[in-house]
């Protein structure tokens, strides 16, 4: 089935009215895809974009004249690699804030032309309260919920192969992730596909900036280094990581962005193969992720020569607040655009 652009509405709890957008949803990025190997793309509603309704996707629309600043924003959702109720649509509150203003007559004056959100194959969630899934007892009825690392990051890399074919180029976009989505975004942007055993999948185009929000960066520390504030989550993390990454804990460090080799990353940065700006943000009141996760990530990135590291300040409240409320994500994107402008 060919996907087509359609008119849609997105909402934020902080906006009085829904915001009209043009969207194309569940666009597959691999042949014979499962139901989660796809992306959503959102555009502001205006005469130029309205004319796309009913047509298929051929390229990423450009609403501005060419600019040296990124015009697209790509996001990877969270959900502990396994939550069946969290998807690419979780970006829609942020989309509402991004596109609530900016249309002047027939022109678009907003800083971002399109927002892209990536779905990926999930791991089994045997104990989900309403939608449990065990591949064995469910007779492998849902391949979209049977991923084990590195299948999650493989899907993210494959989605970028599609986006590159649609016009995504080096430094033309900002990449972000929330929670495990931050882990995936950092895995894809900071490390080469060969790290995960993928010799035939190309590296992603160089992001202009990389943003992690309430991220999971050091996998072993989620079990053995939670600290007093989150020690009660040890068994939860041990269970979900064993399913998502395998029971052999000796393999977890290699999958952890916070264990990246600083010298190798510096070399990739010199070659234009890694983002020159990384922003990490963590709510102090996150009930699921301790502050030491972002501390470990930043400590490692501080060792990378030539990399600009900035501590974000937008994430507040509970773990899910950034995507539930929307404005934190969008304000973070605007902060990054300012940082990029200041750096040029």
């Amino acid at each position: 089935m060919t996907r087509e652009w359609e008119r849609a509405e997105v909402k934020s709890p902080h906006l009085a009215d829904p915001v009209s957008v043009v969207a194309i949803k569940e666009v597959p990025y691999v042949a014979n895809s499962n139901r989660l190997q796809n992306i959503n793309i959102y555009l502001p509603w205006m005469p130029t974009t309205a004319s796309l309704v009913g047509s298929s996707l051929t390229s990423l629309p450009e609403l501005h004249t060419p600019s040296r600043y990124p015009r697209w924003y790509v996001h990877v959702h969270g959900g502990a690699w396994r939550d069946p109720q969290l998807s690419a649509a979780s970006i829609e509150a942020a989309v509402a804030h991004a596109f609530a203003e900016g249309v002047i007559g027939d022109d678009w004056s907003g800083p971002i032309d399109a927002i892209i959100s990536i779905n990926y194959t999930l791991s089994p969630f045997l104990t989900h309260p309403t939608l449990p899934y065990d591949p064995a007892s469910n007779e492998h009825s849902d391949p979209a919920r049977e991923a084990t690392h590195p299948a999650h990051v493989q899907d993210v890399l494959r989605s970028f192969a599609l986006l590159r074919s649609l016009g995504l180029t080096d430094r033309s976009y900002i990449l972000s992730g929330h929670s495990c989505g931050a882990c995936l975004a950092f895995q894809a942007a900071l490390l080469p596909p060969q790290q995960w055993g993928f010799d035939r999948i190309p590296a992603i185009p160089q992001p202009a900036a990389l943003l992690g929000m309430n991220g999971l960066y050091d996998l072993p520390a989620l079990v053995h280094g939670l600290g007093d504030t989150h020690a009660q989550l040890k068994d939860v993390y041990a269970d979900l990581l064993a399913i998502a990454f395998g029971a052999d804990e000796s393999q977890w460090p290699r999958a952890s962005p916070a264990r990246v080799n600083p010298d190798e990353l510096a070399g990739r940065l010199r070659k234009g193969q890694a983002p020159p700006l990384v922003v990490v943000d963590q709510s102090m009141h996150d009930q699921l992720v301790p502050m030491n996760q972002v501390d470990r990530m930043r400590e490692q990135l501080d060792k990378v020569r030539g990399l600009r590291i900035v501590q974000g300040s937008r994430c507040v409240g509970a773990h899910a607040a950034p995507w539930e409320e929307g404005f934190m994500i969008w304000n973070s994107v605007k902060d990054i655009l300012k940082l990029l402008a200041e750096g040029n």
Side-chain angles (χ1 to χ4, degrees):
M1 177 181 175
T2 301
R3 302 294 178 179
E4 295 182 344
W5 293 101
E6 60 185 31
R7 183 170 186 167
E9 288 188 340
V10 292
K11 301 177 181 179
S12 164
H14 297 277
L15 297 174
D17 299 310
V19 176
S20 292
V21 297
V22 177
I24 189 165
K25 299 183 180 182
E26 299 181 359
V27 178
Y29 47 76
V30 292
N32 302 313
S33 60
N34 66 47
R35 62 183 180 83
L36 291 178
Q37 291 175 313
N38 52 60
I39 60 172
N40 292 356
I41 306 176
Y42 303 88
L43 313 173
W45 177 265
M46 53 186 289
T48 302
T49 58
S51 66
L52 294 172
V53 172
S55 64
S56 59
L57 176 65
T58 57
S59 64
L60 294 177
E62 298 181 7
L63 308 182
H64 286 97
T65 55
S67 169
R68 61 182 174 175
Y69 302 118
R71 66 180 62 205
W72 297 307
Y73 166 50
V74 182
H75 181 70
V76 186
H77 71 81
W81 297 276
R82 66 180 186 173
D83 190 341
Q85 295 180 309
L86 203 54
S87 71
S90 64
I91 196 62
E92 290 185 358
V95 172
H97 285 276
F99 297 153
E101 300 178 358
V103 178
I104 302 176
D106 292 346
D107 297 322
W108 172 243
S109 64
I112 292 292
D113 288 357
I115 295 177
I116 300 136
S117 191
I118 299 171
N119 274 319
Y120 50 90
T121 307
L122 302 177
S123 293
F125 195 163
L126 281 64
T127 58
H128 189 277
T130 58
L131 296 170
Y133 182 74
D134 180 337
S137 62
N138 290 98
E139 299 181 346
H140 298 278
S141 59
D142 191 357
R145 296 181 66 184
E146 297 192 13
T148 300
H149 175 78
H152 317 94
V153 69
Q154 180 182 39
D155 277 358
V156 173
L157 294 170
R158 286 169 163 174
S159 74
F160 273 98
L162 170 65
L163 292 171
R164 186 190 290 273
S165 74
L166 296 172
L168 198 75
T169 57
D170 289 345
R171 300 205 185 196
S172 66
Y173 71 104
I174 295 166
L175 173 60
S176 79
H178 172 262
S179 190
C180 78
C183 182
L184 287 166
F186 278 54
Q187 286 173 331
L190 301 182
L191 293 154
Q194 292 76 15
Q195 172 84 6
W196 320 117
F198 305 131
D199 295 330
R200 297 186 178 183
I201 301 178
I204 70 173
Q206 182 189 28
L210 176 63
L211 167 64
M213 295 168 284
N214 295 349
L216 307 178
Y217 306 110
D218 191 313
L219 304 185
L222 288 171
V223 176
H224 304 293
L226 285 167
D228 294 340
T229 58
H230 292 71
Q232 74 280 5
L233 297 173
K234 178 178 179 178
D235 290 344
V236 175
Y237 276 119
D239 177 64
L240 75 87
L241 290 175
I243 293 175
F245 289 87
D248 183 358
E249 294 188 23
S250 69
Q251 299 301 310
W252 294 1
R254 181 174 173 80
S256 301
R259 308 294 181 98
V260 65
N261 184 300
D263 293 334
E264 291 180 2
L265 181 53
R268 287 173 50 76
L269 181 60
R270 287 192 297 270
K271 297 176 183 178
Q273 298 172 345
L277 169 65
V278 178
V279 177
V280 288
D281 200 349
Q282 175 65 48
S283 170
M284 294 181 63
H285 301 101
D286 189 326
Q287 80 281 18
L288 299 180
V289 180
M291 288 296 297
N292 64 27
Q293 280 288 307
V294 72
D295 293 341
R296 292 169 186 269
M297 188 71 248
R298 177 156 188 172
E299 180 182 356
Q300 199 72 351
L301 292 179
D302 282 338
K303 301 173 185 176
V304 180
R305 181 173 297 181
L307 183 63
R308 186 181 183 190
I309 316 297
V310 174
Q311 182 70 50
S313 60
R314 297 294 187 175
C315 290
V316 297
H319 182 69
W323 65 264
E324 287 181 336
E325 302 189 31
F327 70 91
M328 297 179 205
I329 293 179
W330 180 235
N331 285 339
S332 297
V333 172
K334 291 192 292 184
D335 290 344
I336 287 173
L337 290 169
K338 290 178 183 179
L339 289 169
L340 292 171
E342 293 168 1
N344 288 316

